Amino acid sequence: MRTTPGKGTLRVLGVDPGLTRCGVGVVDVSRDRSATLVHVGVIRSDANAPIEQRLATIAAGLRGIVDAHSPQVIAVERVFAQHNRESVIGTAQASGIALLVAGERGLRAATHTPTEVKAAITGYGAADKRQVQAMVARVLRLDALPQPADAADALALALCHAWRSAGPSATAQSLTPAQQAWADAERSAKR
Amino acid sequence: MRTTPGKGTLRVLGVDPGLTRCGVGVVDVSRDRSATLVHVGVIRSDANAPIEQRLATIAAGLRGIVDAHSPQVIAVERVFAQHNRESVIGTAQASGIALLVAGERGLRAATHTPTEVKAAITGYGAADKRQVQAMVARVLRLDALPQPADAADALALALCHAWRSAGPSATAQSLTPAQQAWADAERSAKR
C-alpha cells in the first residue's frame, strides 16, 4: 500500500545495513518531535547466494520501500573500519547500496554513528541495545519491541535523523505537550 | 562505440574499486590465453559531492561501460577490513556498487585478492605494482603503461580473472605459440 507523509512532517527511511538482514524502518516525525510508525521490516538475502545477487536483492527491497512510502530522506548507519568484524565489508557494501538508492532517487541521505543514535534516542551515548529498543517502542507507541533487532535499529536511526535535523530540543520551560511526554519517557527509561 | 567480443573469447570487465578514482578495464581473452585491450579508463567522482551522489556517479559510469562493451563477467578487487586505511569503507562501498551492477544485469561477478592478481599476472604474489603494470602492458601490446595506476590495476584484475577461470596453464610440453610468448614474457619480467 502506498502511503504519503502528512503536511509538516518529515518522513525518514532508516536503514541498518547488513547482507543477511538489512533492517528498514519508516517514521513520520512532526515539528513537535512526535513520531508515528509507517513501516518496519527486514530485507533478507540468502547467505548462500552469490554476493552480486544478494546486493541486487537488497537494492530491489530498498527501492520497493521508497516507492511504497516516499521517504524524504534515507538515514543509514555509518560503518567503521575499526568495527573489525568479519562482516564489516559486507555491511559497508550494503550501506553503499542504501546510499546509492537515495542518490538515484534524488533523495537526501545521511549517516549517523551508533553513538549518535543512542544519544539521540535515550540521551545517553553508551545506552545498551535494549534501552534503545524500549525507547523506540515507547516513542512510536508500539505494544512490543520491534523485532528483529535490525528492524528496531533502523527505526532508531530514522528517529535519530529526524530529531537531529530539527535542531536542539526545546528547553524545559517551553515544552509542548508532546515534548513533555517525550521528556517524561526519557527520564523514565533512564531509571 | 559499442563493441562485441569475438567468438570463443571471454570478455571481462575488471574494476579496481574506489570513490575518487574507480579503475575500469575491459579485455578479450582467447582460449590460448592471448589478450586484447577493449577499453580502459577511470570513473571519477567529486570528493566534495555527497556520498549518495558519488556512488550514483560510479554506478552510472559502470552501467555505461557494460552497455558499451557487453562484458560476460565483472571481476572486482576483493576488499579486506584489515586494509585499515581511512578509505576502506568507501572502497568497500564502491566494490558493492560494481557487484550490484553485475547482479542487476545478470552478469557473473567474481572477486580476486591483490595477491591473486599479482600471482596470476607475474607468477609472483609479492610482485610490486610496477612489475604488474609492465606485464599488463606487455600482454596487451601497449606502447606505454596504462595510466593512472587504478586503470592498470583494473586491467590486471580482468586478465587475472580470465586466466584463473581458464584453469591451470598448459605444461611447457604443450605450449601454444601465444602461451610460449607469455611464458617468455613472464620469465623476462622476473629477471
Side-chain angles (χ1 to χ4, degrees):
Chain A
M1 195 188 70
R2 284 186 70 86
T3 60
T4 47
K7 208 177 159 189
T9 67
L10 179 66
R11 179 164 290 186
V12 186
L13 165 57
V15 178
D16 182 34
L19 283 181
T20 303
R21 287 186 310 277
C22 185
V24 288
V26 182
V27 297
D28 280 347
V29 180
S30 308
R31 289 197 192 118
D32 68 1
R33 292 168 66 93
S34 67
T36 312
L37 176 69
V38 176
H39 173 84
V40 64
V42 170
I43 302 167
R44 295 171 197 275
S45 83
D46 179 357
N48 297 315
I51 179 70
E52 65 273 21
Q53 288 175 21
R54 302 186 75 182
L55 293 170
T57 297
I58 292 167
L62 290 169
R63 289 188 187 118
I65 288 164
V66 168
D67 290 343
H69 301 295
S70 307
Q72 289 143 296
V73 55
I74 301 186
V76 185
E77 184 172 308
R78 181 169 236 148
V79 186
F80 289 100
Q82 54 265 44
H83 288 185
N84 206 354
R85 298 168 296 153
E86 206 181 307
S87 60
V88 69
I89 297 301
T91 306
Q93 290 173 330
S95 77
I97 301 306
L99 293 166
L100 173 72
V101 167
E104 291 187 338
R105 296 297 175 97
L107 303 176
R108 281 179 290 140
T111 57
H112 300 284
T113 69
T115 302
E116 287 168 346
V117 173
K118 288 171 186 172
I121 302 297
T122 71
Y124 176 52
D128 66 27
K129 268 192 174 287
R130 200 168 165 85
Q131 285 175 301
V132 174
Q133 288 171 20
M135 185 61 86
V136 166
R138 188 186 295 245
V139 167
L140 295 174
R141 300 171 302 283
L142 309 178
D143 294 334
L145 301 191
Q147 292 292 341
D150 314 81
D153 288 347
L155 291 173
L157 262 156
L159 290 171
C160 165
H161 179 78
W163 288 335
R164 283 168 61 97
S165 307
S169 60
T171 61
Q173 282 78 9
S174 63
L175 291 181
T176 65
Q179 286 170 331
Q180 187 59 55
W182 164 250
D184 293 346
E186 212 164 31
R187 269 195 303 277
S188 156
K190 279 185 199 157
R191 267 178 219 140
Chain B
M1 194 187 74
R2 286 186 68 88
T3 60
T4 48
K7 207 175 158 187
T9 65
L10 179 66
R11 178 163 289 186
V12 185
L13 164 57
V15 178
D16 183 33
L19 283 182
T20 303
R21 288 185 310 278
C22 184
V24 288
V26 181
V27 297
D28 280 347
V29 181
S30 308
R31 289 198 192 117
D32 68 1
R33 291 169 64 96
S34 67
T36 312
L37 176 68
V38 176
H39 173 83
V40 65
V42 170
I43 302 167
R44 294 171 198 275
S45 82
D46 179 356
N48 297 315
I51 179 69
E52 65 273 21
Q53 288 175 21
R54 301 186 76 182
L55 294 170
T57 297
I58 292 167
L62 290 169
R63 289 189 188 119
I65 289 164
V66 168
D67 289 343
H69 301 295
S70 306
Q72 290 145 295
V73 55
I74 301 185
V76 185
E77 184 173 307
R78 181 170 237 148
V79 186
F80 289 101
Q82 53 263 44
H83 289 186
N84 206 355
R85 297 168 297 153
E86 207 181 305
S87 59
V88 68
I89 297 300
T91 305
Q93 289 173 330
S95 78
I97 301 305
L99 293 166
L100 174 72
V101 167
E104 291 187 339
R105 297 297 175 98
L107 303 176
R108 281 178 291 139
T111 57
H112 300 283
T113 68
T115 302
E116 286 169 348
V117 173
K118 288 171 185 173
I121 303 298
T122 70
Y124 177 51
D128 67 27
K129 270 192 173 289
R130 200 167 165 87
Q131 286 175 300
V132 174
Q133 288 171 19
M135 184 60 85
V136 166
R138 187 186 295 245
V139 168
L140 294 175
R141 300 171 302 283
L142 309 179
D143 294 332
L145 301 191
Q147 292 293 343
D150 314 80
D153 288 347
L155 291 172
L157 262 157
L159 291 170
C160 163
H161 179 79
W163 288 336
R164 282 168 60 96
S165 307
S169 60
T171 62
Q173 283 77 8
S174 61
L175 291 182
T176 64
Q179 286 170 333
Q180 188 60 55
W182 164 250
D184 293 346
E186 211 163 33
R187 268 194 304 276
S188 157
K190 279 185 203 159
R191 265 176 221 141

mmCIF file with all atom_site columns, all heavy atoms in Angstrom, chain A residues 22-42:
data_model
loop_
_atom_site.group_PDB
_atom_site.id
_atom_site.type_symbol
_atom_site.label_atom_id
_atom_site.label_alt_id
_atom_site.label_comp_id
_atom_site.label_asym_id
_atom_site.label_entity_id
_atom_site.label_seq_id
_atom_site.pdbx_PDB_ins_code
_atom_site.Cartn_x
_atom_site.Cartn_y
_atom_site.Cartn_z
_atom_site.occupancy
_atom_site.B_iso_or_equiv
_atom_site.pdbx_formal_charge
_atom_site.auth_seq_id
_atom_site.auth_comp_id
_atom_site.auth_asym_id
_atom_site.auth_atom_id
_atom_site.pdbx_PDB_model_num
ATOM 1   N N   . CYS A 1 22 ? 18.897 -6.757 6.523  1.00 0.00 ? 22 CYS A N   1
ATOM 2   C CA  . CYS A 1 22 ? 19.036 -5.301 6.401  1.00 0.00 ? 22 CYS A CA  1
ATOM 3   C C   . CYS A 1 22 ? 17.772 -4.703 7.002  1.00 0.00 ? 22 CYS A C   1
ATOM 4   O O   . CYS A 1 22 ? 16.677 -4.837 6.446  1.00 0.00 ? 22 CYS A O   1
ATOM 5   C CB  . CYS A 1 22 ? 19.187 -4.940 4.914  1.00 0.00 ? 22 CYS A CB  1
ATOM 6   S SG  . CYS A 1 22 ? 19.500 -3.202 4.618  1.00 0.00 ? 22 CYS A SG  1
ATOM 7   N N   . GLY A 1 23 ? 17.915 -4.070 8.171  1.00 0.00 ? 23 GLY A N   1
ATOM 8   C CA  . GLY A 1 23 ? 16.748 -3.510 8.850  1.00 0.00 ? 23 GLY A CA  1
ATOM 9   C C   . GLY A 1 23 ? 16.277 -2.240 8.166  1.00 0.00 ? 23 GLY A C   1
ATOM 10  O O   . GLY A 1 23 ? 17.093 -1.414 7.755  1.00 0.00 ? 23 GLY A O   1
ATOM 11  N N   . VAL A 1 24 ? 14.958 -2.095 8.033  1.00 0.00 ? 24 VAL A N   1
ATOM 12  C CA  . VAL A 1 24 ? 14.386 -0.899 7.414  1.00 0.00 ? 24 VAL A CA  1
ATOM 13  C C   . VAL A 1 24 ? 13.225 -0.406 8.268  1.00 0.00 ? 24 VAL A C   1
ATOM 14  O O   . VAL A 1 24 ? 12.399 -1.198 8.724  1.00 0.00 ? 24 VAL A O   1
ATOM 15  C CB  . VAL A 1 24 ? 13.879 -1.178 5.976  1.00 0.00 ? 24 VAL A CB  1
ATOM 16  C CG1 . VAL A 1 24 ? 15.064 -1.357 5.028  1.00 0.00 ? 24 VAL A CG1 1
ATOM 17  C CG2 . VAL A 1 24 ? 12.990 -2.403 5.922  1.00 0.00 ? 24 VAL A CG2 1
ATOM 18  N N   . GLY A 1 25 ? 13.187 0.896  8.488  1.00 0.00 ? 25 GLY A N   1
ATOM 19  C CA  . GLY A 1 25 ? 12.101 1.465  9.269  1.00 0.00 ? 25 GLY A CA  1
ATOM 20  C C   . GLY A 1 25 ? 11.752 2.847  8.748  1.00 0.00 ? 25 GLY A C   1
ATOM 21  O O   . GLY A 1 25 ? 12.644 3.655  8.513  1.00 0.00 ? 25 GLY A O   1
ATOM 22  N N   . VAL A 1 26 ? 10.462 3.089  8.551  1.00 0.00 ? 26 VAL A N   1
ATOM 23  C CA  . VAL A 1 26 ? 9.999  4.394  8.067  1.00 0.00 ? 26 VAL A CA  1
ATOM 24  C C   . VAL A 1 26 ? 9.152  5.034  9.166  1.00 0.00 ? 26 VAL A C   1
ATOM 25  O O   . VAL A 1 26 ? 8.248  4.387  9.714  1.00 0.00 ? 26 VAL A O   1
ATOM 26  C CB  . VAL A 1 26 ? 9.155  4.247  6.779  1.00 0.00 ? 26 VAL A CB  1
ATOM 27  C CG1 . VAL A 1 26 ? 8.726  5.622  6.271  1.00 0.00 ? 26 VAL A CG1 1
ATOM 28  C CG2 . VAL A 1 26 ? 9.934  3.486  5.710  1.00 0.00 ? 26 VAL A CG2 1
ATOM 29  N N   . VAL A 1 27 ? 9.490  6.276  9.492  1.00 0.00 ? 27 VAL A N   1
ATOM 30  C CA  . VAL A 1 27 ? 8.707  7.004  10.506 1.00 0.00 ? 27 VAL A CA  1
ATOM 31  C C   . VAL A 1 27 ? 8.347  8.387  9.987  1.00 0.00 ? 27 VAL A C   1
ATOM 32  O O   . VAL A 1 27 ? 9.064  8.959  9.154  1.00 0.00 ? 27 VAL A O   1
ATOM 33  C CB  . VAL A 1 27 ? 9.485  7.162  11.838 1.00 0.00 ? 27 VAL A CB  1
ATOM 34  C CG1 . VAL A 1 27 ? 9.765  5.808  12.465 1.00 0.00 ? 27 VAL A CG1 1
ATOM 35  C CG2 . VAL A 1 27 ? 10.758 7.950  11.651 1.00 0.00 ? 27 VAL A CG2 1
ATOM 36  N N   . ASP A 1 28 ? 7.240  8.900  10.477 1.00 0.00 ? 28 ASP A N   1
ATOM 37  C CA  . ASP A 1 28 ? 6.858  10.298 10.253 1.00 0.00 ? 28 ASP A CA  1
ATOM 38  C C   . ASP A 1 28 ? 7.123  11.056 11.539 1.00 0.00 ? 28 ASP A C   1
ATOM 39  O O   . ASP A 1 28 ? 6.667  10.627 12.610 1.00 0.00 ? 28 ASP A O   1
ATOM 40  C CB  . ASP A 1 28 ? 5.360  10.404 9.924  1.00 0.00 ? 28 ASP A CB  1
ATOM 41  C CG  . ASP A 1 28 ? 5.053  10.058 8.486  1.00 0.00 ? 28 ASP A CG  1
ATOM 42  O OD1 . ASP A 1 28 ? 5.998  9.976  7.677  1.00 0.00 ? 28 ASP A OD1 1
ATOM 43  O OD2 . ASP A 1 28 ? 3.864  9.868  8.172  1.00 0.00 ? 28 ASP A OD2 1
ATOM 44  N N   . VAL A 1 29 ? 7.838  12.152 11.455 1.00 0.00 ? 29 VAL A N   1
ATOM 45  C CA  . VAL A 1 29 ? 8.145  12.925 12.652 1.00 0.00 ? 29 VAL A CA  1
ATOM 46  C C   . VAL A 1 29 ? 7.629  14.354 12.448 1.00 0.00 ? 29 VAL A C   1
ATOM 47  O O   . VAL A 1 29 ? 7.947  15.004 11.445 1.00 0.00 ? 29 VAL A O   1
ATOM 48  C CB  . VAL A 1 29 ? 9.657  12.928 12.950 1.00 0.00 ? 29 VAL A CB  1
ATOM 49  C CG1 . VAL A 1 29 ? 9.956  13.731 14.203 1.00 0.00 ? 29 VAL A CG1 1
ATOM 50  C CG2 . VAL A 1 29 ? 10.160 11.488 13.106 1.00 0.00 ? 29 VAL A CG2 1
ATOM 51  N N   . SER A 1 30 ? 6.819  14.796 13.414 1.00 0.00 ? 30 SER A N   1
ATOM 52  C CA  . SER A 1 30 ? 6.233  16.137 13.330 1.00 0.00 ? 30 SER A CA  1
ATOM 53  C C   . SER A 1 30 ? 7.192  17.174 13.874 1.00 0.00 ? 30 SER A C   1
ATOM 54  O O   . SER A 1 30 ? 8.198  16.843 14.503 1.00 0.00 ? 30 SER A O   1
ATOM 55  C CB  . SER A 1 30 ? 4.941  16.207 14.154 1.00 0.00 ? 30 SER A CB  1
ATOM 56  O OG  . SER A 1 30 ? 4.083  15.165 13.780 1.00 0.00 ? 30 SER A OG  1
ATOM 57  N N   . ARG A 1 31 ? 6.812  18.437 13.679 1.00 0.00 ? 31 ARG A N   1
ATOM 58  C CA  . ARG A 1 31 ? 7.668  19.515 14.174 1.00 0.00 ? 31 ARG A CA  1
ATOM 59  C C   . ARG A 1 31 ? 7.782  19.496 15.683 1.00 0.00 ? 31 ARG A C   1
ATOM 60  O O   . ARG A 1 31 ? 8.757  19.950 16.246 1.00 0.00 ? 31 ARG A O   1
ATOM 61  C CB  . ARG A 1 31 ? 7.112  20.875 13.710 1.00 0.00 ? 31 ARG A CB  1
ATOM 62  C CG  . ARG A 1 31 ? 7.314  21.076 12.212 1.00 0.00 ? 31 ARG A CG  1
ATOM 63  C CD  . ARG A 1 31 ? 7.160  22.542 11.803 1.00 0.00 ? 31 ARG A CD  1
ATOM 64  N NE  . ARG A 1 31 ? 7.081  22.614 10.336 1.00 0.00 ? 31 ARG A NE  1
ATOM 65  C CZ  . ARG A 1 31 ? 6.032  23.083 9.676  1.00 0.00 ? 31 ARG A CZ  1
ATOM 66  N NH1 . ARG A 1 31 ? 4.986  23.564 10.324 1.00 0.00 ? 31 ARG A NH1 1
ATOM 67  N NH2 . ARG A 1 31 ? 6.039  23.094 8.362  1.00 0.00 ? 31 ARG A NH2 1
ATOM 68  N N   . ASP A 1 32 ? 6.753  18.952 16.376 1.00 0.00 ? 32 ASP A N   1
ATOM 69  C CA  . ASP A 1 32 ? 6.819  18.873 17.849 1.00 0.00 ? 32 ASP A CA  1
ATOM 70  C C   . ASP A 1 32 ? 7.575  17.625 18.310 1.00 0.00 ? 32 ASP A C   1
ATOM 71  O O   . ASP A 1 32 ? 7.517  17.273 19.475 1.00 0.00 ? 32 ASP A O   1
ATOM 72  C CB  . ASP A 1 32 ? 5.407  18.919 18.444 1.00 0.00 ? 32 ASP A CB  1
ATOM 73  C CG  . ASP A 1 32 ? 4.594  17.667 18.112 1.00 0.00 ? 32 ASP A CG  1
ATOM 74  O OD1 . ASP A 1 32 ? 5.145  16.753 17.432 1.00 0.00 ? 32 ASP A OD1 1
ATOM 75  O OD2 . ASP A 1 32 ? 3.431  17.595 18.517 1.00 0.00 ? 32 ASP A OD2 1
ATOM 76  N N   . ARG A 1 33 ? 8.273  16.962 17.390 1.00 0.00 ? 33 ARG A N   1
ATOM 77  C CA  . ARG A 1 33 ? 9.107  15.790 17.660 1.00 0.00 ? 33 ARG A CA  1
ATOM 78  C C   . ARG A 1 33 ? 8.299  14.516 17.879 1.00 0.00 ? 33 ARG A C   1
ATOM 79  O O   . ARG A 1 33 ? 8.887  13.453 18.089 1.00 0.00 ? 33 ARG A O   1
ATOM 80  C CB  . ARG A 1 33 ? 10.041 16.015 18.864 1.00 0.00 ? 33 ARG A CB  1
ATOM 81  C CG  . ARG A 1 33 ? 11.118 17.056 18.595 1.00 0.00 ? 33 ARG A CG  1
ATOM 82  C CD  . ARG A 1 33 ? 11.836 17.486 19.866 1.00 0.00 ? 33 ARG A CD  1
ATOM 83  N NE  . ARG A 1 33 ? 12.632 16.442 20.494 1.00 0.00 ? 33 ARG A NE  1
ATOM 84  C CZ  . ARG A 1 33 ? 13.925 16.223 20.281 1.00 0.00 ? 33 ARG A CZ  1
ATOM 85  N NH1 . ARG A 1 33 ? 14.589 16.995 19.442 1.00 0.00 ? 33 ARG A NH1 1
ATOM 86  N NH2 . ARG A 1 33 ? 14.564 15.263 20.901 1.00 0.00 ? 33 ARG A NH2 1
ATOM 87  N N   . SER A 1 34 ? 6.991  14.573 17.844 1.00 0.00 ? 34 SER A N   1
ATOM 88  C CA  . SER A 1 34 ? 6.225  13.333 17.988 1.00 0.00 ? 34 SER A CA  1
ATOM 89  C C   . SER A 1 34 ? 6.373  12.511 16.711 1.00 0.00 ? 34 SER A C   1
ATOM 90  O O   . SER A 1 34 ? 6.589  13.053 15.628 1.00 0.00 ? 34 SER A O   1
ATOM 91  C CB  . SER A 1 34 ? 4.749  13.632 18.268 1.00 0.00 ? 34 SER A CB  1
ATOM 92  O OG  . SER A 1 34 ? 4.159  14.240 17.140 1.00 0.00 ? 34 SER A OG  1
ATOM 93  N N   . ALA A 1 35 ? 6.296  11.192 16.850 1.00 0.00 ? 35 ALA A N   1
ATOM 94  C CA  . ALA A 1 35 ? 6.630  10.308 15.731 1.00 0.00 ? 35 ALA A CA  1
ATOM 95  C C   . ALA A 1 35 ? 5.604  9.200  15.579 1.00 0.00 ? 35 ALA A C   1
ATOM 96  O O   . ALA A 1 35 ? 4.985  8.766  16.547 1.00 0.00 ? 35 ALA A O   1
ATOM 97  C CB  . ALA A 1 35 ? 8.011  9.696  15.959 1.00 0.00 ? 35 ALA A CB  1
ATOM 98  N N   . THR A 1 36 ? 5.426  8.762  14.347 1.00 0.00 ? 36 THR A N   1
ATOM 99  C CA  . THR A 1 36 ? 4.471  7.702  14.034 1.00 0.00 ? 36 THR A CA  1
ATOM 100 C C   . THR A 1 36 ? 5.154  6.650  13.166 1.00 0.00 ? 36 THR A C   1
ATOM 101 O O   . THR A 1 36 ? 5.892  6.991  12.245 1.00 0.00 ? 36 THR A O   1
ATOM 102 C CB  . THR A 1 36 ? 3.270  8.277  13.245 1.00 0.00 ? 36 THR A CB  1
ATOM 103 O OG1 . THR A 1 36 ? 2.798  9.447  13.907 1.00 0.00 ? 36 THR A OG1 1
ATOM 104 C CG2 . THR A 1 36 ? 2.154  7.257  13.109 1.00 0.00 ? 36 THR A CG2 1
ATOM 105 N N   . LEU A 1 37 ? 4.867  5.402  13.458 1.00 0.00 ? 37 LEU A N   1
ATOM 106 C CA  . LEU A 1 37 ? 5.406  4.310  12.645 1.00 0.00 ? 37 LEU A CA  1
ATOM 107 C C   . LEU A 1 37 ? 4.666  4.224  11.320 1.00 0.00 ? 37 LEU A C   1
ATOM 108 O O   . LEU A 1 37 ? 3.439  4.217  11.293 1.00 0.00 ? 37 LEU A O   1
ATOM 109 C CB  . LEU A 1 37 ? 5.245  2.989  13.401 1.00 0.00 ? 37 LEU A CB  1
ATOM 110 C CG  . LEU A 1 37 ? 5.672  1.728  12.630 1.00 0.00 ? 37 LEU A CG  1
ATOM 111 C CD1 . LEU A 1 37 ? 7.181  1.713  12.445 1.00 0.00 ? 37 LEU A CD1 1
ATOM 112 C CD2 . LEU A 1 37 ? 5.211  0.470  13.368 1.00 0.00 ? 37 LEU A CD2 1
ATOM 113 N N   . VAL A 1 38 ? 5.423  4.148  10.235 1.00 0.00 ? 38 VAL A N   1
ATOM 114 C CA  . VAL A 1 38 ? 4.837  3.967  8.905  1.00 0.00 ? 38 VAL A CA  1
ATOM 115 C C   . VAL A 1 38 ? 5.094  2.545  8.406  1.00 0.00 ? 38 VAL A C   1
ATOM 116 O O   . VAL A 1 38 ? 4.207  1.872  7.887  1.00 0.00 ? 38 VAL A O   1
ATOM 117 C CB  . VAL A 1 38 ? 5.423  4.990  7.903  1.00 0.00 ? 38 VAL A CB  1
ATOM 118 C CG1 . VAL A 1 38 ? 4.889  4.740  6.493  1.00 0.00 ? 38 VAL A CG1 1
ATOM 119 C CG2 . VAL A 1 38 ? 5.119  6.413  8.361  1.00 0.00 ? 38 VAL A CG2 1
ATOM 120 N N   . HIS A 1 39 ? 6.320  2.080  8.585  1.00 0.00 ? 39 HIS A N   1
ATOM 121 C CA  . HIS A 1 39 ? 6.672  0.743  8.088  1.00 0.00 ? 39 HIS A CA  1
ATOM 122 C C   . HIS A 1 39 ? 7.894  0.253  8.840  1.00 0.00 ? 39 HIS A C   1
ATOM 123 O O   . HIS A 1 39 ? 8.786  1.036  9.156  1.00 0.00 ? 39 HIS A O   1
ATOM 124 C CB  . HIS A 1 39 ? 6.984  0.815  6.583  1.00 0.00 ? 39 HIS A CB  1
ATOM 125 C CG  . HIS A 1 39 ? 7.509  -0.472 6.015  1.00 0.00 ? 39 HIS A CG  1
ATOM 126 N ND1 . HIS A 1 39 ? 6.688  -1.503 5.605  1.00 0.00 ? 39 HIS A ND1 1
ATOM 127 C CD2 . HIS A 1 39 ? 8.775  -0.911 5.805  1.00 0.00 ? 39 HIS A CD2 1
ATOM 128 C CE1 . HIS A 1 39 ? 7.429  -2.512 5.173  1.00 0.00 ? 39 HIS A CE1 1
ATOM 129 N NE2 . HIS A 1 39 ? 8.699  -2.185 5.273  1.00 0.00 ? 39 HIS A NE2 1
ATOM 130 N N   . VAL A 1 40 ? 7.935  -1.019 9.118  1.00 0.00 ? 40 VAL A N   1
ATOM 131 C CA  . VAL A 1 40 ? 9.146  -1.597 9.690  1.00 0.00 ? 40 VAL A CA  1
ATOM 132 C C   . VAL A 1 40 ? 9.307  -3.010 9.157  1.00 0.00 ? 40 VAL A C   1
ATOM 133 O O   . VAL A 1 40 ? 8.316  -3.713 8.922  1.00 0.00 ? 40 VAL A O   1
ATOM 134 C CB  . VAL A 1 40 ? 9.124  -1.571 11.240 1.00 0.00 ? 40 VAL A CB  1
ATOM 135 C CG1 . VAL A 1 40 ? 8.011  -2.449 11.798 1.00 0.00 ? 40 VAL A CG1 1
ATOM 136 C CG2 . VAL A 1 40 ? 10.482 -1.983 11.815 1.00 0.00 ? 40 VAL A CG2 1
ATOM 137 N N   . GLY A 1 41 ? 10.540 -3.394 8.910  1.00 0.00 ? 41 GLY A N   1
ATOM 138 C CA  . GLY A 1 41 ? 10.755 -4.742 8.395  1.00 0.00 ? 41 GLY A CA  1
ATOM 139 C C   . GLY A 1 41 ? 12.221 -5.019 8.199  1.00 0.00 ? 41 GLY A C   1
ATOM 140 O O   . GLY A 1 41 ? 13.092 -4.257 8.639  1.00 0.00 ? 41 GLY A O   1
ATOM 141 N N   . VAL A 1 42 ? 12.476 -6.134 7.574  1.00 0.00 ? 42 VAL A N   1
ATOM 142 C CA  . VAL A 1 42 ? 13.849 -6.563 7.326  1.00 0.00 ? 42 VAL A CA  1
ATOM 143 C C   . VAL A 1 42 ? 13.921 -7.093 5.895  1.00 0.00 ? 42 VAL A C   1
ATOM 144 O O   . VAL A 1 42 ? 13.033 -7.839 5.471  1.00 0.00 ? 42 VAL A O   1
ATOM 145 C CB  . VAL A 1 42 ? 14.259 -7.662 8.326  1.00 0.00 ? 42 VAL A CB  1
ATOM 146 C CG1 . VAL A 1 42 ? 15.591 -8.280 7.931  1.00 0.00 ? 42 VAL A CG1 1
ATOM 147 C CG2 . VAL A 1 42 ? 14.339 -7.098 9.736  1.00 0.00 ? 42 VAL A CG2 1
#
